[in-house]
Amino acid sequence: RMTSLDMTWISYPSKNLSFVSPEEIEAFIASQNIISRLMHCYIAFFVPTGLIAGICILIVFTKNYLQYKVIENLDLLLLHFSISNIVLIFFSFTVITRPNYLQATHLACNALSFFFNFSYSNSQCVWIFTLLILLLKRFPPRTALHKATQRPILCVGFVLIYAFCLSLTEAVLVGTDNYHLETDCQLDPLFARPEYEIVKFTFGFGIPSFLQILCFIVLFTKEAPAEALTLQQHFRTYPAAYVISIMIFICRLFYNVMILFRTTFKLQKNIGTPKNELVMNIAEIVLFCESCASLLFLLCLHKPCK
């Protein structure tokens, strides 16, 4: 039962320096060094690569549209996905302060979390429609679903509405108590109620991932018509989509599992250890690395971009 609505008691283990042994001090220093080095590697290598790849993708799609005055359904969704990931990379600049945290009021931190979750949900949900379009390219569509995917503007509109409603719900669950007080701010606020993480895991990762896995199951198990591409040819035609799908699932699974672990600590009224805090920070950086790598794979493997 979630009785822990008042989160004023919670703090980061690194801010609660009550060490009783030299081993604990050494463990704390080691975790601070690790997160600092990971942050520097991410900012130095992943951020420039991801932003350059993203800008190149935008240029390619814009140039193609200006040249042919039309953009394919798949490319429109990939453009939406790319923009969402570029925005996520900009949000990742909040990790520059690691091993410390951004200082902001509860209200500002909640607003930052809202816009981050909006981009995060956009990226996750638009990818489901991308996989759906690829599925319908392999199997002759004879359903209303095909008509929907033939109008990608509707798909994008649905994704935007879903992402907005989910982000707004999450913002409410973060809580509005002490909105004027300054706090250590993370994109998934530590002071959020436990329901926040549960809703984010369920609707921001669980359901989209289930649909993603369902697309793969249909792709591998359903028999394609004779005139369709073989499975191997299909993968060779759209390699970027399937490489990115696997990477999204693995990276976001790690990130969301760590969020749920943090929830268990909240329910137990336990702040955890510096090691728990370190792993949560690593999961956050892994999430941002995935956004950068997705843009790079899209640029290198998607045929119009190549």
Side-chain angles (χ1 to χ4, degrees):
R1 214 172 103 222
M2 289 178 232
T3 57
S4 161
L5 294 180
D6 178 16
M7 302 303 298
T8 54
W9 59 271
I10 201 164
S11 66
Y12 288 100
S14 61
K15 304 294 182 179
N16 189 35
L17 305 177
S18 55
F19 303 121
V20 294
S21 70
E23 289 77 13
E24 286 180 326
I25 296 173
E26 288 174 10
F28 168 72
I29 293 171
S31 66
Q32 296 278 289
N33 285 336
I34 291 169
I35 193 60
S36 179
R37 287 174 184 175
L38 284 175
M39 180 275 292
H40 283 105
C41 288
Y42 168 72
I43 295 295
F45 299 108
F46 282 88
V47 168
T49 304
L51 288 178
I52 291 169
I55 291 167
C56 290
I57 290 167
L58 296 184
I59 291 171
V60 168
F61 283 144
T62 304
K63 187 179 176 183
N64 286 348
Y65 176 75
L66 293 175
Q67 186 174 352
Y68 301 108
K69 300 300 179 188
V70 68
I71 185 168
E72 284 192 15
N73 300 341
L74 179 63
D75 287 347
L76 181 61
L77 294 180
L78 291 177
L79 178 62
H80 184 106
F81 175 76
S82 300
I83 292 170
S84 298
N85 278 280
I86 291 170
V87 174
L88 281 175
I89 293 173
F90 282 115
F91 277 115
S92 75
F93 286 127
T94 56
V95 305
I96 288 176
T97 55
R98 296 293 189 274
N100 289 317
Y101 295 91
L102 190 69
Q103 291 295 308
T105 63
H106 280 68
L107 182 62
C109 192
N110 198 351
L112 191 65
S113 176
F114 168 82
F115 289 110
F116 162 69
N117 283 321
F118 182 69
S119 300
Y120 172 90
S121 300
N122 255 311
S123 171
Q124 182 85 42
C125 295
V126 79
W127 198 251
I128 303 304
F129 282 103
T130 303
L131 290 178
L132 191 58
I133 283 182
L134 292 181
L135 204 61
L136 294 174
K137 282 180 179 292
R138 178 161 165 75
F139 303 105
R142 300 187 183 91
T143 62
L145 193 60
H146 171 59
K147 293 178 182 176
T149 56
Q150 288 304 302
R151 302 178 69 183
I153 295 296
L154 285 180
C155 299
V156 170
F158 174 82
V159 167
L160 290 172
I161 292 169
Y162 180 84
F164 177 80
C165 292
L166 180 57
S167 303
L168 191 61
T169 303
E170 290 165 347
V172 170
L173 291 175
V174 167
T176 55
D177 302 329
N178 306 313
Y179 66 90
H180 59 289
L181 298 179
E182 279 217 343
T183 185
D184 295 312
C185 181
Q186 208 169 359
L187 291 173
D188 285 303
L190 182 69
F191 57 84
R193 298 170 184 174
E195 295 94 332
Y196 166 87
E197 282 105 348
I198 292 169
V199 166
K200 179 162 183 169
F201 179 87
T202 305
F203 296 97
F205 174 75
I207 293 174
S209 294
F210 171 75
L211 295 174
Q212 186 175 322
I213 291 168
L214 200 60
C215 285
F216 273 89
I217 290 172
V218 172
L219 186 68
F220 281 108
T221 57
K222 186 171 178 171
E223 188 176 348
E227 66 273 13
L229 294 173
T230 66
L231 194 58
Q232 193 175 9
Q233 289 171 329
H234 183 76
F235 284 140
R236 278 206 299 263
T237 307
Y238 307 105
Y242 298 107
V243 170
I244 292 171
S245 290
I246 294 168
M247 187 173 59
I248 285 175
F249 178 77
I250 293 171
C251 294
R252 297 200 178 195
L253 176 64
F254 175 46
Y255 175 70
N256 280 273
V257 167
M258 289 305 107
I259 282 180
L260 281 188
F261 271 129
R262 194 171 76 173
T263 309
T264 61
F265 287 129
K266 289 181 181 180
L267 295 174
Q268 296 165 1
K269 287 195 175 274
N270 181 0
I271 64 170
T273 66
K275 185 178 178 182
N276 300 135
E277 184 181 355
L278 168 65
V279 176
M280 184 66 228
N281 277 296
I282 290 172
E284 190 177 33
I285 291 178
V286 166
L287 175 73
F288 293 133
C289 288
E290 175 260 301
S291 294
C292 299
S294 292
L295 292 171
L296 183 62
F297 282 128
L298 192 59
L299 179 66
C300 296
L301 297 178
H302 187 54
K303 191 174 179 181
C305 296
K306 283 198 296 183

